[in-house]
Amino acid sequence: MKQPRRYEAAIIWGLMMLLVTVVLSENRNETDQAHVVLTYLLVVVGGSSSSGRRLGLSLAGVAFFLIDFFFQVPYDRLAIGKPLDFVILLAFLVTALVTTQLLAVARSEGAEALKRADEVATLSLERVELMRVAQHAEALREADRLKDVVLASVSHDLRTPLTTIKALAQDSALRGDENAAVIEEQADRLSRFVGDLLDLSRLQGGAMPSRPEVNTAEDLIGAAIRQMGSLIDGRLVLPQIDKSQPALVGRFDFVQSLRILNNLLENACRYAPADTKIELDVHRDSEALVFRVCDRGPGVAPADRQRIFELFYRAGSGPPDAGRAGLGLSIARRLAELQGGALQYEPRDGGGSVFVLRLPALDVDEAAGTV
């Protein structure tokens, strides 16, 4: 776009120069040279201010020869009849060149000022946006902090009335109240939910430290099955330990790891059909002990396989009321990561789910040296 505009400006000011020359030449005998010089200087200034230094210099050069040719004696030829005429021409040319240069500098400084103004405006907008983002982030952090405070406070305050409700239910059961068992069961369910909320607030606040120690995989699996006995509800759980290798030893927090396996076994019992088996196996894989809890439930849809570890998320493929609020898997993964492990989901061949828990492993000799 700049080139056509430059050509257009050159044509306009060239025509202006021609018009000035025609008008002045018709009365050149009565026109003072100072008037001629000033008129041409106005044209040079106008062209320079509208289109820049190049056009201004070109107009100045053309005007120099036009003044000499048409308005200095002898007329209609390039010649200088008097020394004073040369001084006039030289003064015109110098004035035109200086004026053109000054206008060019002014145009450049004006363009630079506009550029800086645009940059300042852009930076101001960016600063406002950054402040808005920072304020939003701060608000989110404060909301998250308040959420943790509320969770911790509510969870703690609920424990006392739940204990009272359970004690009253047990007392009612002794008096033959048929609804007491249901009340006690729901109190236990709510108590587990409150416990999950407390653990979640401790994990998020860094108040649940991990204490990895040397433990065996066999002890962990045995403890998990014994502790889950009442919840397995007749389902057959098949523990499988790789006997082809030396004792499977690792460095992990026994209590936290037991909590993870209990959660995974409870999940399997909740979702798998009652007549199916639940498998719990462990083997060594390089630097990790790999625990697998396998069931024949409905499995997890591909879209839900990562989201099932999010807080309060429940897969759409699950039953309408699975008995929990969607905290167990999230807490289990955080507990695994807290002690240098990992928890993942895999689909099971033939249908079902496999939850894989990885914990740091130790060689037997290394474990013996650390005991």
Side-chain angles (χ1 to χ4, degrees), residues 254-272:
F254 192 89
V255 174
Q256 292 180 355
S257 301
L258 180 61
R259 169 80 179 277
I260 297 170
L261 287 184
N262 286 345
N263 179 278
L264 299 180
L265 287 171
E266 187 178 346
N267 263 355
C269 293
R270 188 181 305 117
Y271 289 102

Side-chain angles (χ1 to χ4, degrees), residues 302-322:
D304 294 327
R305 288 175 186 172
Q306 283 302 318
R307 299 197 64 191
I308 57 175
F309 295 101
E310 296 178 4
L311 292 175
F312 301 105
Y313 184 80
R314 292 171 61 180
S317 58
D321 182 14

Side-chain angles (χ1 to χ4, degrees), residues 9 16 21 33 37 65 122 127 135 138 142 166 196 200-201 224 227 235 248 250 259 268 276 304 365:
M16 183 66 70
T21 303
Q33 285 197 10
V37 169
F65 288 106
T122 302
R127 183 172 179 272
Q135 291 173 352
E138 181 62 27
E142 180 63 16
K166 185 172 181 178
D196 286 345
L200 177 61
S201 64
Q227 196 171 90
R235 288 179 174 84
L248 299 178
R259 169 80 179 277
T276 59
D304 294 327
D365 295 340

Side-chain angles (χ1 to χ4, degrees), residues 311-353:
L311 292 175
F312 301 105
Y313 184 80
R314 292 171 61 180
S317 58
D321 182 14
R324 300 299 290 269
L327 292 175
L329 289 178
S330 178
I331 292 174
R333 171 173 273 190
R334 295 186 185 205
L335 289 175
E337 293 172 348
L338 190 63
Q339 52 189 315
L343 179 62
Q344 298 173 323
Y345 169 85
E346 296 176 358
R348 188 178 186 185
D349 293 339
S353 299

Side-chain angles (χ1 to χ4, degrees), residues 291-305:
F291 296 83
R292 300 168 72 249
V293 177
C294 313
D295 64 61
R296 288 296 180 187
V300 179
D304 294 327
R305 288 175 186 172

Side-chain angles (χ1 to χ4, degrees), residues 350-364:
S353 299
V354 179
F355 284 92
V356 182
L357 170 64
R358 292 178 175 271
L359 296 174
L362 288 176
D363 294 330
V364 175

